Amino acid sequence: MSWLGDAAVTLPTEPTQQVFGYPSLFLLVLIGALVPVVPTGALVSSAAVVAMHQTLPFAMLMVFATASLAAFCGDMALYWLGRRGVGSKNGSRWLEAIRSRAPEDRLEQAQGKLAEHDVAVLVLSRLVPAGRIPVMLACLLAEWPLRRFARGNLPACLAWAVTYQLIGVLSGALFDRPWEGVAAAIALTVLVSAAPGVWRRIRGPEKA
């Protein structure tokens, strides 16, 4: 009966990973879009590293679809909640939360770029660390309808998912062991996220 024990040891765990992994990725990215305390970029990059080491077909495509859909749903839910606050006399805690995460100088920049480049700004805002919320607030203050925001937000979420998935692919390609690739992907995404803030501090305040 030793063959039975060997078979049990060699049973693939990838189906189990898919059953629990993709819903978890979706939920965490969705929460991260609503409450930006979850490092969603690092999650997508790490999931891409794991997918690289799977033999099941379409693993990378599933990571892309899950991440982009979750980001889109989270953004749309947050924008809808923000629009309710804009239309309310008393505002809302969601709108105030969006305002609190959008410094005045960043909001002014976002409003200027939005007026100049329209929907294209949404795509760039998703790729620039800490750029999503100021542009979303600018859209809210400009009273964009939900449908118009969705048209720009969809390609933005697709581009965001591709970018962080490529970071994961690059990190995974450098190492043979999945955990090493995951660690590299997390480190790289943290570095990418922190770089703009560090650069602004080094440069100092802009002169009028």
Side-chain angles (χ1 to χ4, degrees):
M1 297 292 290
S2 61
W3 63 271
L4 185 60
D6 294 339
V9 172
T10 57
L11 280 176
T13 60
E14 293 178 11
T16 303
Q17 292 176 5
Q18 286 193 331
V19 168
F20 293 100
Y22 295 130
S24 298
L25 177 63
F26 181 90
L27 182 61
L28 289 173
V29 172
L30 179 68
I31 293 174
L34 289 168
V35 185
V37 295
V38 179
T40 53
L43 287 172
V44 176
S45 298
S46 301
V49 173
V50 175
M52 287 180 63
H53 294 272
Q54 291 184 343
T55 59
L56 292 173
F58 308 119
M60 294 293 289
L61 182 60
M62 285 296 296
V63 171
F64 168 74
T66 302
S68 55
L69 179 61
F72 179 78
C73 291
D75 283 356
M76 294 307 299
L78 184 59
Y79 191 78
W80 178 76
L81 291 168
R83 275 188 57 83
R84 291 187 63 187
V86 170
S88 172
K89 293 182 179 180
N90 299 323
S92 71
R93 63 184 183 90
W94 284 102
L95 180 60
E96 291 304 315
I98 295 173
R99 286 182 180 274
S100 67
R101 297 197 296 268
E104 193 64 31
D105 58 333
R106 300 293 299 277
L107 175 59
E108 291 179 0
Q109 292 177 8
Q111 288 175 319
K113 292 178 180 177
L114 189 66
E116 184 176 355
H117 301 289
D118 201 63
V119 173
V121 176
L122 285 173
V123 178
L124 183 61
S125 72
R126 253 287 179 183
L127 300 180
V128 175
R132 178 177 67 100
I133 294 299
V135 171
M136 181 181 291
L137 181 57
C139 293
L140 287 169
L141 296 179
E143 298 185 352
W144 277 25
L146 195 65
R147 182 176 298 180
R148 184 180 182 185
F149 179 80
R151 286 200 304 267
N153 191 50
L154 178 58
C157 291
L158 295 176
W160 172 82
V162 167
T163 299
Y164 280 97
Q165 194 165 0
L166 287 176
I167 291 176
V169 170
L170 176 62
S171 302
L174 296 176
F175 300 95
D176 294 330
R177 298 179 180 179
W179 71 267
E180 293 176 334
V182 169
I186 293 174
L188 188 56
T189 52
V190 170
L191 180 62
V192 169
S193 300
V198 173
W199 172 248
R200 283 194 297 269
R201 290 185 180 182
I202 294 174
R203 186 180 58 178
E206 295 182 0
K207 296 182 180 180

